Amino acid sequence: MHFTIFDTPIVRDVFRVLSILLLKLSGWKLKGEFPLLDKYVMIGAPHTSNWDFPITLGLCFASRAKIYWMGKHTLFKGPMGPVMRWLGGIPVTRHQNNSLVQQMVDVYGRSSRLVVAIPPEGTRRAVKEWKTGFYHIAHGARVPIALAYLDYSRKEGGFGPMFMPSGDVERDMPLIRAFYADKVGRYPG
């Protein structure tokens, strides 16, 4: 089952107008613009709430930005599967050791344009250490990392600098995390 009606410019324009309206009514704004590169890994932090997803999608629709995201394979079952794929979802099975990093590196290699959004925490719960899959995907694909955020204290989403991974994860991760020191999730801590 494929929802081709969603692939029309009219439907995208309707979602854009609705997103702009809902973001404005809720007080959310986008700081800056989506990077104008064909390929990059976009990380978003802090990720503390299910609300992060619709706010991020709203910012994307409002900006006419197309991103992809990885989600639990169970989100793609049943009638919502095609909708989730249209929204940019890539189903993944997290409990299998299936070299997800290499699979994504290969997808970047085959793609002329690709932006995949990945929450570095890997969960909505508070974590001390971030997962490093996003880093290894970017390094393996030789693409930069866009440091994106949702800051609930300011009701803004935006971007920091682009970060090109050196391959030295121990050196680079503290530099990446430092950008997020003053960003506040919906549920801090």
Side-chain angles (χ1 to χ4, degrees):
M1 180 187 247
H2 182 42
F3 286 86
T4 55
I5 188 170
F6 287 138
D7 295 332
T8 67
I10 293 170
V11 172
R12 287 215 170 263
D13 287 343
V14 167
F15 273 81
R16 181 173 188 263
V17 170
L18 282 172
S19 294
I20 290 169
L21 178 66
L22 291 172
L23 289 166
K24 192 172 285 246
L25 287 173
S26 63
W28 279 88
K29 58 195 167 298
L30 177 65
K31 289 295 249 194
E33 297 180 0
F34 280 77
L36 298 175
L37 298 173
D38 289 334
K39 295 197 273 191
Y40 56 92
V41 170
M42 184 174 86
I43 62 171
H47 179 41
T48 64
S49 167
N50 284 334
W51 281 104
D52 298 349
F53 180 71
I55 293 168
T56 299
L57 281 180
L59 292 169
C60 289
F61 275 115
S63 302
R64 291 191 173 104
K66 178 65 176 172
I67 65 166
Y68 293 87
W69 48 274
M70 294 183 288
K72 281 192 266 189
H73 68 286
T74 55
L75 291 172
F76 299 86
K77 293 185 177 186
M80 288 304 291
V83 175
M84 291 298 187
R85 284 181 183 81
W86 178 77
L87 289 172
I90 301 168
V92 297
T93 305
R94 294 190 290 185
H95 62 276
Q96 284 183 316
N97 185 4
N98 57 4
S99 186
L100 183 59
V101 169
Q102 188 58 51
Q103 287 179 50
M104 290 307 298
V105 168
D106 293 344
V107 170
Y108 270 96
R110 292 189 304 268
S111 303
S112 60
R113 296 182 58 102
L114 182 61
V115 176
V116 177
I118 303 171
E121 296 99 336
T123 181
R124 291 178 304 277
R125 294 184 302 271
V127 295
K128 291 184 178 162
E129 294 295 319
W130 283 1
K131 306 249 184 218
T132 58
F134 75 89
Y135 181 92
H136 295 294
I137 291 168
H139 184 256
R142 295 183 184 93
V143 298
I145 299 168
L147 306 182
Y149 68 92
L150 288 180
D151 188 338
Y152 281 80
S153 68
R154 292 181 219 139
K155 282 197 164 186
E156 69 182 31
F159 294 92
M162 296 298 282
F163 188 92
M164 194 65 184
S166 70
D168 185 349
V169 70
E170 298 298 323
R171 182 184 65 112
D172 290 350
M173 285 300 277
L175 299 173
I176 294 169
R177 287 193 65 150
F179 170 74
Y180 293 96
D182 66 341
K183 309 303 186 275
V184 180
R186 182 176 173 98
Y187 300 111

